Amino acid sequence: MRRNLLVFAEHRDGKPLRVGLEILSKARELADERDFDLCALILTDRVDDAEALSRYGADLICVGTDESFGHYGHGFIDTTLDVVRELGPYAFIIGATALGSMLAPEVAAHLRTGLAAHVIDYRWDEDLIQVVPSFGGRVAAEIVTRTTPRMSTVKPGTFSMIERRGRGELKSVKVRKPEQDRIRFEGFERIEPKGRPIEDAGVVVVGGGGVESEKDWGMLKELAELLNGALGCTRPVADRSWSDEEHMVGTSGKIVKPAAYIGIGVSGSAHHTCGMKDSGIVIAINRDRNAPIFDTADLRIVADYRDVLPALLTKLRDLKKQA
Amino acid sequence: MRIACLVKPVPDPEHYDRISVSPNGTLVRAGIPIVMNPSDRNALEEALKIKERRGGDVTVFSMAPDDAEGVLREAVAMGADHAILLSDRNFAGADTLATSYVLAKALERFGPFDLILAGNESADSSTSQVPSQVGVWLSIPALTGVAEIEHNESLTVRCSSEGGRAVYEVDLPVILAVKRGINSPRYTSFAGIIRANKTEIKIVRAEDLGSDASMTGLEGSPTKTLKTSVLDICRKGEYVEGDAGDIADRIINELRKAGALRE
């Protein structure tokens, strides 16, 4: 086996999740710099087109399909361990989805290897440098791992998808599953999202703890709609019922990079700004001139949103009518 | 039902914008108070609720320096029965693998426990790794992102996942990492504070645990931090104040320039 990097490419309903393709894209660059192979691992109940991963640079695509892989269970851990032991990858990267976040620490502990969490950048030095955020993104730490494989997780939206051909050889994986799993999947309860997803929106309006009432939240909703954007929130709002964690921006929420970000009543804790710092233009409205969000903003509007929003909404409605 | 709860003292997440890095590369977080990690508070609340319904006791564990005793005392004031502080110079500098090893050793030493609860992530390093890794050392299953625990004959656990919740039936013993939304943690009561002041916080050293020194602290950590720096995310901004109508015009102009206004 040539020296290689391995990426876990999670699938859902037969299709790869974006995060896996984002990681493959970044890993392809890293593999090229060291003349490594790039391997992908698919464990799923169903895969429509495994070879498609070669478009994002995969040289070898290991596929294990089994009905038990429709949801998390210990078969994931055992099968992944077999693959890692066989391929002996230099590094193994997993998307920090719900499933990936359960799988990665288990696999790392079984292999007694290090696991860097939520990497925001990789770089080759003598070894692979993994840059991770800490203290809610206030601090960046450069981490090296002294054991093999160097394991890490990456949050969705961290890297861009770049098409690059890999050899795309397929290899099937022997599926392992425990005779009796001590955790048994009983079903999946869908939850209707509270509004449009924020990950892909061109404009993201974010309401923070300074938004005082649900009625005011309605103004933010209308603003997001008029701008064809999505409405996100910070932790204090996610803790109320107006929004939810699916729409939370930041370290324990989502990473967004819209063309325009508008923060309303957002104080700007490190946990939040870490998730929006790469946005295009950043507009912040806050009564407090010293709010930390202003450090990260291009347009720092020191005002009460209850004065600004009605004026802004009226003008945007007029613009829409004219169009 | 014997319940263990893992608690991490962290610098108060309200003040992370005050953290800086000194010229020699060490983190400066002077003046930031140490508090109980927010989601660990939810884990403790869940432990206390289960104890109230089913009987049993709750033991809190923390791997931290001696000065973290206050956080454990607060856990007792909330209602925990026993508190154990795993504190040793050899535990310092541990990454998640070395931390989980020490916690697992302590859970074995003072166990067995039927149920182990922990917060889903710490506010400072946010890795969400320790609970699952404790499970591996103890050879018991782990679930993370736990949004609901239903306790009937067996345990039904709902885990947050993209687009909804995955429902699992689990056998005990199990380790569960709970999310902040799972409950609203109680406040400490006056009686609780009195009791906490009378309760011994047991301090446990490496020699009491019989832990292997090569598995703990810096030495036992496969990851190594080379360098830390404060991420500079400041922009050159412009302050705008004044008439709401003028501000609205300005916002619309800027959105137009950024190509974010579809007209």
Side-chain angles (χ1 to χ4, degrees), chain A residues 12 71-72 74 97-98 101-102 105-106 108-110 112-118 120 129 133-147 181-191 202-203 227-228 235 239 245-246 251-252 259-260 262 270-271 273 276-283 285 289 292 294-303 307-308 311-312 315-316 319 323, chain B residues 11 13 16-21 27 29 95-97 121 123-129 132-133 136-137 139-144 158-174 179-181 215 218-231 233-242 244-245 247-252 254-256 258-263:
Chain A
R12 182 78 63 92
H71 46 80
Y72 180 72
H74 283 111
T97 58
S101 302
M102 292 215 218
E106 298 255 1
H110 278 288
R112 306 278 190 268
T113 193
L115 176 60
H118 310 145
I120 51 177
I129 310 273
S134 69
F135 296 100
R138 169 76 178 168
V139 173
E142 295 190 357
I143 290 185
V144 288
T145 302
R146 304 183 289 189
T147 44
D181 205 334
R182 282 151 72 191
I183 54 173
R184 292 171 296 280
F185 178 75
E186 296 287 315
F188 193 83
E189 300 172 347
R190 267 188 200 289
I191 297 176
V203 179
L227 295 171
N228 291 307
R235 168 61 70 187
D239 285 346
E245 284 198 353
E246 291 279 311
T251 328
S252 44
I262 307 177
H271 283 96
T273 50
M276 49 65 75
K277 62 180 168 50
D278 297 323
S279 304
I281 184 169
V282 173
I283 301 172
I285 306 176
R289 199 185 175 85
F294 284 144
D295 294 340
T296 325
D298 302 299
L299 202 59
R300 306 170 174 181
I301 299 167
V302 187
D307 298 329
V308 176
L312 182 59
K315 284 177 196 282
L316 287 171
L319 277 176
Chain B
Y16 288 175
D17 51 335
R18 281 161 51 189
I19 291 173
S20 58
V21 174
L27 276 182
R29 49 192 211 202
D95 68 3
T96 60
L97 191 69
E121 60 181 19
D124 51 358
S125 47
S126 307
T127 69
S128 303
Q129 293 170 4
S132 301
Q133 300 198 319
V136 173
W137 291 111
S139 298
I140 64 172
L143 286 172
T144 66
R158 289 179 168 77
C159 299
S160 290
S161 183
E162 294 77 15
R165 288 172 173 188
V167 187
Y168 294 95
E169 196 81 14
V170 300
D171 297 334
L172 298 177
V174 67
K179 297 200 62 150
R180 282 178 66 178
M215 309 282 273
L218 265 182
E219 202 190 334
S221 297
T223 63
K224 195 173 148 210
T225 302
L226 294 183
K227 200 178 114 187
T228 51
S229 52
V230 168
L231 269 180
I233 55 171
C234 290
R235 295 180 183 224
K236 255 191 225 155
E238 179 196 343
Y239 284 95
V240 181
E241 284 173 270
I247 292 175
D249 285 334
R250 182 69 199 276
I251 293 175
I252 289 169
E254 295 293 340
L255 290 174
R256 199 173 270 143
L261 205 59
R262 267 195 248 159
E263 290 170 275

Side-chain angles (χ1 to χ4, degrees), chain A residues 18 22 196-204 230 255-258:
Chain A
R18 259 181 79 136
E22 291 166 359
R196 188 184 152 183
I198 53 175
E199 294 92 316
D200 302 323
V203 179
V204 174
I255 295 168
V256 295
K257 298 173 186 172

